[in-house]
Amino acid sequence: MVKASLIWLNYNSISFIDIALKSIDSLLNLDFDEYEVIIVDNASNDGSFERIKNYVEEHRPSDVRVKFVISNVNRGYAGGNNLGWEARDPESKYAVFLNNDLIVELESLKKIIDYMEGEENLAAANGILYSLKGSGSRRIYAVGGFVTDLWISGDICYGIPEHECPGIDKPHYVTYADGAYMVVKVDAIRSVCPDGKPFIDETFIYLDDDLLGLILWNRGYLCAGKSWSSP
């Protein structure tokens, strides 16, 4: 049975706590057989962690294991997620990094991991990430990211409707899987990344997922994106 550790990073989310709680709720109810949720708090001082912890204690299904990791300082995206990485179940084959404003479609994790299981050298992947504008219209946030040889980087198909992003329903290789919802193979990270950790702490909130993708590619692994999750 494939196991996964989901790492959800929080920092001062009280201003959008309703969305953060919806994000947590989507993680607690995934269509996936064996997973844990690791909630990392990056030294929040706005009361959001207490709200989140109370919500989890009241709504957590009995078959979903939840761990809380509290940092004494704000370590940014890279350092906070590395704390979650260190707290993962040692038997987990996959680690999943998620932003605290992202609502996960219930079957998306299963679809991504099912695909990755059939691709030996595929070390990191994500599906379509959408953003909702004020009007409620849904546009693409990213289907993975790119980095050019001039160090220009960006999100693939950012800000456009799905029908304007050709080939989105087919697997395509990307420079890096977007860190807002990124699935990685634990063994690949442990074997090629510095200190066996996915992120370089010093990057804080910049170039974290970019560098991870470049490290993986340079060590013989692949990163991919695709429309695995249904609208």
Side-chain angles (χ1 to χ4, degrees):
M1 183 177 296
V2 176
K3 293 186 178 181
S5 294
L6 280 60
I7 300 164
W8 188 89
L9 184 63
N10 181 67
Y11 176 67
N12 285 351
S13 60
I14 201 68
S15 63
F16 57 95
I17 193 64
D18 289 347
I19 295 174
L21 295 181
K22 288 181 181 179
S23 176
I24 285 288
D25 192 69
S26 70
L27 299 189
L28 296 177
N29 294 282
L30 287 174
D31 179 16
F32 197 81
D33 291 332
E34 189 74 20
Y35 72 99
E36 64 177 353
V37 176
I38 302 170
I39 296 174
V40 180
D41 188 74
N42 244 342
S44 295
N45 57 14
D46 64 348
S48 59
F49 174 69
E50 291 75 16
R51 289 282 302 275
I52 291 162
K53 186 176 181 181
N54 289 338
Y55 185 88
V56 170
E57 290 173 347
E58 293 175 4
H59 296 86
R60 178 181 67 85
S62 60
D63 60 339
V64 177
R65 182 182 182 186
V66 179
K67 300 176 183 175
F68 295 98
V69 178
I70 303 174
S71 177
N72 58 344
V73 296
N74 178 12
R75 301 174 187 271
Y77 177 93
N81 276 314
N82 278 340
L83 284 181
W85 169 264
E86 293 167 0
R88 75 190 186 282
D89 188 318
E91 295 185 4
S92 288
K93 185 174 181 179
Y94 291 87
V96 187
F97 302 99
L98 302 121
N99 283 2
N100 62 353
D101 60 350
L102 184 133
I103 299 171
V104 182
E105 294 184 354
L106 301 185
E107 296 182 353
S108 61
L109 181 61
K110 183 178 185 303
K111 291 179 179 180
I112 294 172
I113 288 181
D114 282 350
Y115 182 81
M116 294 180 73
E117 282 286 276
E119 299 289 329
E120 183 178 354
N121 290 333
L122 181 57
N126 59 239
I128 304 179
L129 306 179
Y130 297 100
S131 62
L132 292 177
K133 304 299 183 182
S135 63
S137 62
R138 186 167 71 170
R139 291 179 175 265
I140 294 172
Y141 173 76
V143 198
F146 66 89
V147 179
T148 72
D149 53 356
L150 298 177
W151 275 102
I152 298 170
S153 64
D155 295 309
I156 295 171
C157 291
Y158 175 78
I160 66 175
E162 190 169 336
H163 69 270
E164 293 182 13
C165 187
I168 199 171
D169 58 332
K170 299 178 177 62
H172 55 275
Y173 295 121
V174 298
T175 308
Y176 63 92
D178 194 284
Y181 180 11
M182 173 170 50
V183 184
V184 302
K185 287 180 178 173
V186 169
D187 284 349
I189 302 300
R190 292 176 61 190
S191 65
V192 304
C193 289
D195 300 320
K197 302 186 296 184
F199 305 110
I200 300 170
D201 288 333
E202 289 76 11
T203 62
F204 200 71
I205 58 172
Y206 296 105
L207 297 176
D208 31 57
D209 46 7
D210 309 51
L211 288 175
L212 175 57
L214 291 171
I215 290 169
L216 292 170
W217 275 102
N218 277 283
R219 297 300 181 90
Y221 287 99
L222 308 174
C223 304
K226 181 185 178 293
S227 174
W228 283 292
S229 53
S230 56

